Amino acid sequence: MWIAILSYAALRLAGRGLSDFSPYVNALFLLPTGPVVPQNIWTLRHELVFYSAFALTFLLFPRARWLILIWIFSFIPVALFAHFHPADNPALYAAKIFGNPVNIEFGAGLALGLLCRRRDIRSDLSTPAPALLLIAAFVGFFLLAIVLDLKIDQIQGTMISAIVASAIIFLAVKLKFADSGLNRVGSLLGDASYSIYLFHPHFQSAMLGVWKHFLPQTNIWIVILGVVLLSTAAGVLIHLFVEKPLLTWLGRFLPRRGDHHGKVAADPVLAPTLQPPG
């Protein structure tokens, strides 16, 4: 994330100059104090809040797991307060980050994770073409979002996406996939998804500028397809040659997961996910 933010700032500085460094500082430290640049970092602020809430409840104080429900639905009092006091201020801005409708999606993911660990539904699902089923589900979700004009930071959008996306993720986890070229490509894209997510603004911005300069009359759908494919490919390369080596290097300084089995496996909720197979 830091590499993505600093490289984006360097490119902007070289190309257009920087008038305000504060959005980059907010992004670097995921501060809840104002806008972030690159703008896609905004979701990582919400992820940090969720990871903190999960750690405090499920890991540190497991008997207080129910408290995470308060966080999930904290967007309700925040939305009511913002409705009657619409003037923006730093405290309300921070409250909208901690109590945001996207909490619903995190709650749905948490519920799905607990559901998938139930012994009575641990068996995999079989279907003749699992990849085609997932692609159809994703395309259907995409079309539904367009038709309903869903907004990912509004209550209606987050509730619908939480339901539909959870169903898609459940299928992705439970479906049996044969060892094929398509499956390997899907696995690679999944492994590279974080790098693709972090770095696609870099390449999209650069490619759109070049495309506009040399081929300004190109059909917009060709431009969209080309930019998506090229920025995705660039993200995969960053995953292979930056992210993976970095993780390998950092792994030398971090304890392995197996070192914590004796401490965490005593928790009956977490133990099944941490125990080695068999």
Side-chain angles (χ1 to χ4, degrees):
M1 184 188 75
W2 288 340
I3 294 173
I5 295 169
L6 293 174
S7 60
Y8 190 87
L11 291 172
R12 279 297 180 91
L13 180 62
R16 307 177 190 177
L18 294 179
S19 58
D20 186 5
F21 289 93
S22 60
Y24 296 95
V25 175
N26 293 337
L28 282 170
F29 300 101
L30 301 177
L31 301 177
T33 55
V36 292
V37 178
Q39 293 183 356
N40 58 318
I41 299 297
W42 77 271
T43 64
L44 300 183
R45 287 203 291 200
H46 294 285
E47 289 191 36
L48 176 61
V49 175
F50 167 70
Y51 296 146
S52 301
F54 180 85
L56 287 172
T57 54
F58 275 72
L59 299 182
L60 293 182
F61 304 102
R63 292 186 178 180
R65 293 188 184 108
W66 58 273
L67 288 174
I68 203 168
L69 292 175
I70 296 178
W71 170 76
I72 292 173
F73 294 103
S74 62
F75 69 90
I76 297 176
V78 172
L80 289 174
F81 182 85
H83 177 76
F84 293 105
H85 301 83
D88 287 333
N89 60 72
L92 181 58
Y93 191 96
K96 287 182 177 180
I97 292 178
F98 288 98
N100 193 282
V102 298
N103 294 3
I104 299 174
E105 296 177 339
F106 288 107
L110 175 59
L112 181 63
L114 296 175
L115 177 67
C116 288
R117 293 175 52 259
R118 290 175 58 94
R119 296 184 183 276
D120 53 344
I121 60 170
R122 285 188 181 181
S123 58
D124 292 333
L125 305 174
S126 297
T127 184
L132 293 180
L133 177 60
L134 280 179
I135 292 173
F138 178 79
V139 172
F141 183 26
F142 182 75
L143 295 176
L144 179 67
I146 294 177
V147 172
L148 298 180
D149 191 26
L150 299 182
K151 300 294 191 299
I152 58 178
D153 59 345
Q154 295 181 0
I155 296 176
Q156 179 194 21
T158 53
M159 291 186 66
I160 295 176
S161 63
I163 295 171
V164 181
S166 295
I168 295 175
I169 294 172
F170 180 81
L171 288 175
V173 172
K174 290 298 180 180
L175 287 174
K176 292 181 179 179
F177 288 87
D179 186 15
S180 64
L182 182 61
N183 188 38
R184 287 190 288 272
V185 170
S187 296
L188 176 61
L189 291 175
D191 293 339
S193 60
Y194 187 52
S195 291
I196 296 171
Y197 173 78
L198 284 175
F199 286 91
H200 77 269
H202 301 58
F203 298 101
Q204 287 185 359
S205 178
M207 286 184 287
L208 287 173
V210 172
W211 214 313
K212 179 181 178 180
H213 180 75
F214 291 101
L215 298 169
Q217 303 303 320
T218 305
N219 182 280
I220 184 61
W221 292 107
I222 295 178
V223 174
I224 292 174
L225 178 62
V227 168
V228 167
L229 292 177
L230 290 174
S231 60
T232 300
V236 171
L237 292 177
I238 290 176
H239 164 69
L240 294 174
F241 297 104
V242 178
E243 183 184 4
K244 288 186 68 175
L246 182 61
L247 289 174
T248 300
W249 180 75
L250 289 174
R252 300 174 182 174
F253 306 98
L254 298 175
R256 296 187 179 183
R257 188 177 67 170
D259 296 341
H260 296 290
H261 280 166
K263 297 180 180 179
V264 184
D267 188 325
V269 172
L270 298 176
T273 61
L274 296 176
Q275 292 293 349

